[in-house]
Amino acid sequence: MADEIQKIVAGLPELTDVTGVWAVADRRAAQGDAAFAADLGIALATTYGTAGQMWQYRSVFDHLLRLLATTSGPENVIQALRLVSSAEVTSRKLDRYTASLLASSHEAADLAAAFTGRASEELRACLVHELVLRGVVVGEVPGIAGWATSPHWSHHPLGWLPLMPSGMEEGADLPSYGIRGSSHAVPYGPSESRELAVDTDARVPAAEETTTPATATAMGTAVANWAEESNGRIEARAFELAEPLDAESVPAVLLALGLECLRGAGKKTPLSVAVRPPAQAWRLLFAAASTGGAYNSGSYGAYGRLAAWRSLAALAGSPGGASAAEVEAHALDCVWHGLGADTEWFEQVAWDIGLAVLSPGRRRLAVLAATDTD
């Protein structure tokens, strides 16, 4: 086996097609030799891990990881963990990706190996919440429960999240993975703008913008990856109204706020504004954060979950330091709207989001718009 691995490693830079290497690993795995894939991946990482731009290495390593992480069986879990724990490849981004792969394809009992064997704390934290999103009661899984319920990792950013999914999170769009790729639902897209008769007699109270850099960043947490890693842009703004706002007046107020995303809307350009359930807003934010935009893969399930809650909390105007349960209760008291318009700001390709949130008391209106293109 060592000779075969050495031959593959030595010849990798000369290959114009790596499917033959994939086939060797696939055949070995089918014969029950999962260790071959891990050994090959570690050998490749040792030689080429610092040359991350070499496409042959990236393609083969990803295939080996997917092969182990998406093929059922405890030995495949153990070898996948051994592969990603090697010093040459370990990283927080790889941990997040690996946790998503493993949680989508293995029984929770088999994944206990990550909590009793060699695995980073980051991978464990991500795996806990990937499983929570898939409905696993992690506090009842032997081998996982002790770690997941221990206070020792409460300082971790993911420690803020509850170990049980809230009603807000039902129906979260989670990816399915295979050796050759992945798929996931996209709950947003080009805005379905429609002619909306804006009540010109609607009372439009005076509005003062209260957006601070910190507020804008917090509201845009879920879509930040669209701008940072793809071609996206974001508009996140908050306004304090002089008097309580009726829900029927929201469209007229939105047109009066000087929003870049709605510039030109309401005259010849159709505007769409409709009340939406808070859970639908969470689903949009989670998808944007976890799966990414046109040219990136997002933050995967665990950090996508955290980003969605952070955006939701900021949009709803939840007080700092609130728990997830408190954020949810506050969000349920808000009136959530989906908005869209066929303006030049929105790319109208496949990644468009528009939310307007009227907070309890009806004196604060927050708006988040995001768009991306390939």
Side-chain angles (χ1 to χ4, degrees):
M1 182 172 72
D3 290 342
E4 185 173 14
I5 287 177
Q6 289 175 3
K7 183 178 179 180
I8 292 172
V9 171
L12 191 70
E14 308 305 321
L15 295 180
T16 57
D17 183 347
V18 296
T19 55
V21 179
W22 294 358
V24 172
D26 292 352
R27 184 175 67 253
R28 287 296 193 101
Q31 295 170 349
D33 188 6
F36 177 86
D39 289 339
L40 176 57
I42 293 170
L44 290 169
T46 300
T47 304
Y48 303 112
T50 57
Q53 297 305 309
M54 194 173 86
W55 72 266
Q56 296 95 329
Y57 165 70
R58 296 199 312 272
S59 179
V60 173
F61 186 90
D62 186 64
H63 182 86
L64 295 172
L65 176 56
R66 281 178 176 267
L67 172 64
L68 294 171
T70 65
T71 303
S72 61
E75 181 61 20
N76 290 309
V77 172
I78 292 170
Q79 296 302 329
L81 293 171
R82 185 165 72 90
L83 174 57
V84 299
S85 297
S86 59
E88 292 79 12
V89 300
T90 183
S91 70
R92 291 170 63 88
K93 184 175 182 179
L94 183 61
D95 285 339
R96 297 176 186 184
Y97 175 45
T98 302
S100 186
L101 291 171
L102 289 170
S104 73
S105 307
H106 292 273
E107 296 293 328
D110 290 342
L111 296 176
F115 300 85
T116 57
R118 185 179 179 185
S120 70
E121 295 288 272
E122 179 73 1
L123 194 152
R124 290 171 176 170
C126 290
L127 192 51
V128 162
H129 290 287
E130 291 281 0
L131 291 171
V132 169
L133 285 166
R134 287 166 174 79
V136 176
V137 183
V138 293
E140 298 179 1
V141 181
I144 299 179
W147 192 92
T149 59
S150 171
H152 85 278
W153 73 291
S154 59
H155 65 281
H156 191 283
L158 295 176
W160 180 85
L161 293 167
L163 294 180
M164 295 289 290
S166 77
M168 192 85 73
E169 297 173 302
E170 293 181 4
D173 296 297
L174 300 169
S176 59
Y177 294 103
I179 299 175
R180 296 293 189 268
S182 62
S183 63
H184 58 81
V186 178
Y188 40 76
S191 61
E192 297 179 359
S193 300
R194 57 184 175 82
E195 287 291 348
L196 183 68
V198 178
D199 185 0
T200 56
D201 295 325
R203 187 176 184 84
V204 179
E208 177 183 358
E209 183 160 8
T210 59
T211 313
T212 65
T215 300
T217 297
M219 289 194 295
T221 302
V223 290
N225 69 86
W226 289 17
E228 294 168 356
E229 302 170 1
S230 190
N231 297 318
R233 57 177 169 265
I234 301 165
E235 185 172 17
R237 298 169 69 180
F239 302 86
E240 192 70 26
L241 305 170
E243 57 188 75
L245 179 65
D246 294 330
E248 299 77 20
S249 301
V250 169
V253 171
L254 287 172
L255 292 177
L257 293 177
L259 297 166
E260 289 295 324
C261 64
L262 297 184
R263 186 178 296 277
K267 297 177 181 179
K268 296 182 179 180
T269 302
L271 169 68
S272 175
V273 181
V275 175
R276 301 296 186 202
Q280 184 175 337
W282 186 92
R283 183 171 171 239
L284 288 172
L285 295 168
F286 173 73
S290 62
T291 63
Y295 281 113
N296 67 315
S297 301
S299 301
Y300 305 105
Y303 278 91
R305 187 185 185 207
L306 181 61
W309 277 108
R310 284 179 171 172
S311 280
L312 192 91
L315 285 165
S318 296
S323 67
E326 291 168 337
V327 169
E328 181 177 16
H330 192 80
L332 290 173
D333 284 340
C334 295
V335 182
W336 294 77
H337 302 77
L339 68 89
D342 190 12
T343 63
E344 293 184 1
W345 192 91
F346 286 105
E347 296 289 356
Q348 299 290 330
V349 179
W351 301 273
D352 287 321
I353 288 177
L355 293 171
V357 189
L358 191 58
S359 295
R362 310 303 187 251
R363 294 281 296 272
R364 178 181 182 271
L365 187 65
V367 178
L368 174 66
T371 188
D372 195 12
T373 186
D374 53 13

